[in-house]
Amino acid sequence: MSDAPATPSSASDLIQPVGPKAARSDLALRLRANSEYVAIPLLAIAIASALFAVFLIAIGKSPLDFVSYVWRGGFGTAFSFQNTLQRSAPLILTALAVAIPARIGLIMIGGEGALVLGGFAAAALAIPMIGVLPPIVALVLMAIFAMLTGGFWVGIAGFLRYARGVNETISSLLLTYIGIAIMNFFVEGALRDLSNPNKPSTKPLGDAYMVGKIPGTDVHWGFAAGILLCILIYLLLERTTFGFAARVTGGNYRAALAQGLPVGKLIVACSGIAGACAGLAGFFEVAAIQGRANASLAAGYGFTGILVSFLARHNPLVIPPVAILFGGIVAAGGLVQRRMELPDATVQVLEGFIFVVLLTSETLYGRVAIFKPTAAKDRT
């Protein structure tokens, strides 16, 4: 007997067939590996809900009643659902203000400040234009100015991060409070509408200079703008060289520098785009909801947007459904307060539970055996 290895008799023998079974197995492994990005956030929500239920029971309230009122106030009727969509519009835009810098490795939480300053800038710009420029021209200029203001404000944190190594999380949070203080300074001072003594505000825009509703609904165009921006930002981050460079920088800062990527420009650009999204949210809050700039701009949408972005894993396409979920919770806050005799901050307690558990669950990624393709292969 010869010990020489057998040689293929034809070229076809060199080709290893890959049948449907192998393809299905490979797909199953990839689905198993990616399913943790859905399973772990859902688990975090379930645990946070259980903790919140214990909290309600401890204060003598029924968790089932809370769920019932949230459903009725946020999703149960056409009116409540449209209110939810309207509340989700600023959440979508402020969540993008967190998701975009996250792709480059930055944790920016300055969306609230950019929203407030963007809304104030839009209202301040509108004052001399009312009655002078056509409404459509004025609204476009207001939106642009709001985005530029928000982009500049968050861009400061990005610049400080690259140029001086200042922690962007701390700087963006401090800039938020500075921005709110600047708005209050002018609203209570030089730009205050003296005809409204009860609440410091700028002069009203008037109905002609307000953003209208989406035809057939009671939802303003800010919701549509948020959906469109999510799609555009996804394409920017996933389908362009800019997005690829941002992902490389976020994955390995030193490697990006070694490859000659313009890291500083990328950080400032991502920060500026993020701030522009939050500034646009401020524009819609002024031009579609409030009709003027006042303390109501600081409603906490920027902070809730942080939770929305983290729960969506900073994916622009996942942000809208998560924002609608939290928009419904926020919209139901008033009903919960009246029917269950709970303070309005109860909703914020629920959001706090979700955020803490969600951050804790970050340690589970890549460590659960059931989601590891290699572990699955070893068992087979």
Side-chain angles (χ1 to χ4, degrees):
M1 295 179 60
S2 175
D3 294 332
T7 57
S9 58
S10 64
S12 61
D13 293 336
L14 294 173
I15 302 175
Q16 297 296 326
V18 179
K21 184 177 181 180
R24 286 196 300 269
S25 176
D26 182 62
L27 177 61
L29 290 175
R30 285 189 281 114
L31 289 176
R32 183 189 295 269
N34 292 324
S35 61
E36 67 175 353
Y37 298 110
V38 176
I40 291 178
L42 289 178
L43 176 63
I45 292 177
I47 294 174
S49 299
L51 293 174
F52 184 70
V54 173
F55 167 76
L56 289 177
I57 293 172
I59 61 176
K61 302 296 181 180
S62 170
L64 294 179
D65 287 345
F66 180 84
V67 173
S68 174
Y69 289 131
V70 167
W71 173 257
R72 288 170 55 187
F75 307 97
T77 66
F79 173 80
S80 62
F81 185 63
Q82 290 183 84
N83 187 28
T84 292
L85 295 182
Q86 189 149 281
R87 297 293 186 99
S88 66
L91 295 180
I92 292 172
L93 293 169
T94 53
L96 284 175
V98 179
I100 298 169
R103 288 301 184 93
I104 203 169
L106 304 179
I107 304 300
M108 291 283 188
I109 57 174
E112 181 80 356
L115 183 153
V116 170
L117 274 185
F120 167 70
L125 182 67
I127 293 174
M129 295 192 301
I130 295 176
V132 177
L133 293 179
I136 184 63
V137 176
L139 287 171
V140 170
L141 292 177
M142 289 166 59
I144 293 174
F145 194 47
M147 294 177 71
L148 290 175
T149 302
F152 171 76
W153 201 247
V154 178
I156 293 175
F159 175 77
L160 291 175
R161 174 66 178 86
Y162 173 71
R164 308 301 302 174
V166 179
N167 183 280
E168 73 281 355
T169 305
I170 296 176
S171 63
S172 58
L173 180 61
L174 293 178
L175 284 168
T176 290
Y177 291 109
I178 294 173
I180 294 173
I182 291 174
M183 186 272 295
N184 288 330
F185 175 81
F186 284 102
V187 165
E188 296 176 6
L191 296 180
R192 180 170 182 172
D193 179 16
L194 299 179
S195 64
N196 184 13
N198 296 324
K199 187 174 184 178
S201 303
T202 60
K203 293 181 179 180
L205 301 180
D207 292 339
Y209 289 82
M210 295 287 288
V211 174
K213 308 289 186 181
I214 300 174
T217 72
D218 288 329
V219 183
H220 63 73
W221 283 100
F223 179 76
I227 298 296
L228 178 61
L229 265 180
C230 284
I231 297 172
L232 294 178
I233 294 298
Y234 174 81
L235 294 176
L236 174 67
L237 296 177
E238 300 293 339
R239 297 291 187 267
T240 65
T241 55
F242 173 86
F244 176 76
R247 295 198 305 274
V248 170
T249 302
N252 193 320
Y253 182 85
R254 292 183 178 179
L257 286 174
Q259 292 296 323
L261 293 177
V263 173
K265 292 180 180 179
L266 287 169
I267 290 176
V268 175
C270 287
S271 302
I273 296 172
C277 292
L280 185 63
F283 160 76
F284 281 111
E285 283 299 295
V286 166
I289 304 294
Q290 306 292 341
R292 64 187 75 198
N294 52 39
S296 297
L297 284 175
Y301 286 121
F303 296 120
T304 305
I306 300 170
L307 177 55
V308 171
S309 181
F310 271 87
L311 196 57
R313 299 291 300 170
H314 309 306
N315 187 331
L317 296 184
V318 183
I319 283 175
V322 178
I324 291 172
L325 171 64
F326 280 91
I329 296 174
V330 172
L335 181 62
V336 170
Q337 181 180 15
R338 293 191 303 272
R339 297 296 180 86
M340 298 186 68
E341 298 181 350
L342 289 171
D344 194 40
T346 305
V347 170
Q348 297 176 359
V349 174
L350 174 58
E351 292 178 355
F353 275 122
I354 295 175
F355 196 45
V356 171
V357 177
L358 186 65
L359 289 179
T360 305
S361 70
E362 289 287 319
T363 60
L364 297 178
Y365 287 98
R367 297 187 178 185
V368 181
I370 193 174
F371 298 126
K372 294 182 179 180
T374 54
K377 288 180 179 178
D378 293 341
R379 287 195 298 270
T380 59

